[in-house]
Amino acid sequence: MNRWQDLSPRRFRRASFARGLGLHSTESVRTVPPIPSFGDLALVALAVLVAGCAPSAHDVAPDAVPSADAGEFGPLPEPDCKTHYTAYPGDCRAPAPPDPSEGILVHYGPTDYDDPKQIQEYVIQPGDEIVDCGYSTLENAEDFHYQRYDVYSRPGTHHVILTTSDATPTNGNHDACIARSHGSSLLAVVQGAVRGGEYHYPPSGKIAPENAGLATKLAPGQHIAYEIHAINATDQPLLREGWTIFQRMPADEVTATVGQIAFNGGLGMDIKPHTQAIIKNTCAVPGELGNIRVVDFFGHMHAHGQRFSAFVARTDSSGKETRTLVYESYDWELLDLLELNTLVTNPPVTYAGGTPGGMSGDLRLSPGDRLEYECAMNNTEDFDLKFAARATTGEMCNLFGSFTPGTAWTCVGY
């Protein structure tokens, strides 16, 4: 029985993607094969950004996933949850399917909760860390446009990434994101700690007038790769599962496209034990993009990241350089999305001032202008920290966001 499609509306506990995680254990990491690199720079950037460095058997740090009792780092209590259809926490995270006239639901996880074998394919044991992709084909018969989306995840979820794929794997199939490497384009990114929860885009709930006509398009019968990076920091098995609802935007209201920003820095990082380092990356607006407006962005680090700072750098016609701080974030567990529009006022920031926030209003860039960013890392471990999709024993220095007009702006830094 495909119960998740038939769930009635229920109350949800809004759990942040950003709550508590311990940082010590001697448990080993469950491994999945690494994702192959793509054929050109744009796809290489996407592959690495969204899990190209999944743990491998020969690349496991001595300290892997934290192990802790469920009370300290386990699932958030769900006192309002009255329906239980599995033996795992998070049953009440499942949303009711939207009316097809209002949205499309994309699902990662088991489709038959009465099939023990299928359930076991998605179980993550205590101390394990897994990155993989589930695949589905949407049932839309015509182009589908969206500018809002909602993500729901069971406990144990660190990040969620949705991409398109030209491959056609069977609905419900999942692998180490290999099939995704065919014609991928980024749709949505949600990061956090390990407790899953709900995320609604845009987080302010506001659509500014200048953004009213912006949308992302899904082609008829679009193939979707749904990546989940799961970490079980509890003492009980967890079920890996997630749901995303893309809210329909009428086609006659669409006036421009939204492109995705996908940067990653520090691919060659090697931070020695008990040392600190600043990982930097510089990403210039390519000439082919022309003049763009950045709609929003956020920084992504792992557990040893202490500060994420971003700047806009420009060179005027006389050769004079300017560099302006536009973003600061300090908590690796939070998705500090900086919305840049006329309705949202962000907290002002100073460099390394300890307050998250950033600029407000329009951020317009021209070819050659640069987004520069840095991640302050503190390696408190007894092993080297390298770029890897391991939340507590590997690091990343990535920047995600959106801009208009365009389709994709990617950048790789070592």
Side-chain angles (χ1 to χ4, degrees):
M1 178 179 180
N2 194 351
R3 294 180 181 171
W4 64 269
Q5 290 185 335
D6 302 317
L7 297 175
S8 59
R10 59 176 68 89
R11 296 177 64 188
F12 301 111
R13 175 178 176 85
R14 292 199 176 207
S16 168
F17 274 78
R19 308 267 182 97
L21 178 64
L23 298 177
H24 51 277
S25 173
T26 56
E27 299 290 328
S28 62
V29 176
R30 177 178 172 181
T31 61
V32 294
I35 298 171
S37 59
F38 299 168
D40 58 63
L41 180 60
L43 292 180
V44 168
L46 177 60
V48 175
L49 275 162
V50 297
C53 296
S56 59
H58 61 277
D59 188 27
V60 177
D63 274 278
V65 180
S67 179
D69 65 85
E72 185 177 2
F73 299 119
L76 293 172
E78 296 178 296
D80 296 329
C81 186
K82 306 301 181 184
T83 301
H84 297 282
Y85 53 95
T86 75
Y88 304 94
D91 284 352
C92 280
R93 301 280 175 84
D99 185 291
S101 66
E102 298 177 351
I104 291 180
L105 175 65
V106 188
H107 177 238
Y108 167 101
T111 57
D112 186 351
Y113 297 108
D114 293 328
D115 182 350
K117 182 179 178 181
Q118 188 179 133
I119 290 288
Q120 284 303 310
E121 290 182 10
Y122 292 93
V123 169
I124 179 169
Q125 297 296 334
D128 281 0
E129 182 167 8
I130 302 173
V131 181
D132 74 348
C133 289
Y135 300 95
S136 58
T137 300
L138 302 184
E139 297 181 355
N140 56 311
E142 55 188 21
D143 288 344
F144 180 97
H145 299 87
Y146 70 91
Q147 63 175 190
R148 296 179 182 268
Y149 59 84
D150 309 285
V151 181
Y152 307 84
S153 300
R154 284 185 182 268
T157 303
H158 168 60
H159 77 227
V160 169
I161 299 174
L162 278 80
T163 61
T164 65
S165 177
D166 288 343
T168 57
T170 304
N171 271 348
N173 185 40
H174 65 111
D175 66 14
C177 299
I178 296 171
R180 183 188 56 196
S181 55
H182 301 281
S184 295
S185 63
L186 200 57
L187 297 175
V189 181
V190 175
Q191 67 158 72
V194 295
R195 283 189 163 179
E198 298 182 21
Y199 178 78
H200 306 280
Y201 178 88
S204 69
K206 302 175 182 178
I207 301 295
E210 64 270 31
N211 294 336
L214 300 184
T216 300
K217 184 179 78 171
L218 299 173
Q222 179 67 65
H223 307 301
I224 301 291
Y226 197 129
E227 176 187 302
I228 284 186
H229 180 175
I231 306 167
N232 190 345
T234 79
D235 60 359
Q236 60 182 301
L238 297 176
L239 187 63
R240 295 175 291 134
E241 190 167 23
W243 305 260
T244 294
I245 294 175
F246 293 111
Q247 299 184 26
R248 182 184 298 275
M249 180 177 176
D252 59 4
E253 296 180 9
V254 178
T255 60
T257 60
V258 175
Q260 296 297 317
I261 299 171
F263 300 163
N264 65 288
L267 266 68
M269 74 171 75
D270 187 0
I271 306 173
K272 298 304 179 183
H274 307 287
T275 64
Q276 298 180 348
I278 304 292
I279 306 300
K280 298 183 178 182
N281 197 14
T282 296
C283 301
V285 178
E288 61 268 24
L289 287 185
N291 297 322
I292 63 172
R293 176 170 62 87
V294 177
V295 176
D296 52 44
F297 70 86
F298 68 92
H300 176 74
M301 304 179 292
H302 288 170
H304 297 87
Q306 296 189 317
R307 173 180 54 81
F308 191 109
S309 302
F311 309 82
V312 170
R314 309 178 196 265
T315 305
D316 65 19
S317 57
S318 68
K320 181 181 178 181
E321 295 271 352
T322 61
R323 191 169 186 260
T324 305
L325 178 70
V326 296
Y327 176 80
E328 290 261 303
S329 179
Y330 293 86
D331 191 339
W332 75 279
E333 298 176 303
L334 291 175
L335 196 166
D336 283 330
L337 184 77
L338 190 74
E339 296 181 63
L340 296 166
N341 58 59
T342 54
L343 292 185
V344 176
T345 301
N346 299 305
V349 293
T350 57
Y351 180 66
T355 300
M359 67 167 287
S360 298
D362 273 359
L363 175 54
R364 296 181 181 272
L365 302 176
S366 299
D369 291 346
R370 305 177 302 282
L371 271 179
E372 301 179 352
Y373 66 93
E374 64 184 39
C375 300
M377 304 288 187
N378 183 21
N379 185 359
T380 59
E381 311 296 344
D382 294 328
F383 51 85
D384 292 0
L385 280 179
K386 298 184 179 182
F387 188 98
R390 296 193 302 267
T392 62
T393 60
E395 269 302 336
M396 289 188 175
C397 185
N398 299 344
L399 187 150
F400 296 102
S402 61
F403 70 98
T404 187
T407 56
W409 179 13
T410 60
C411 175
V412 175
Y414 291 85

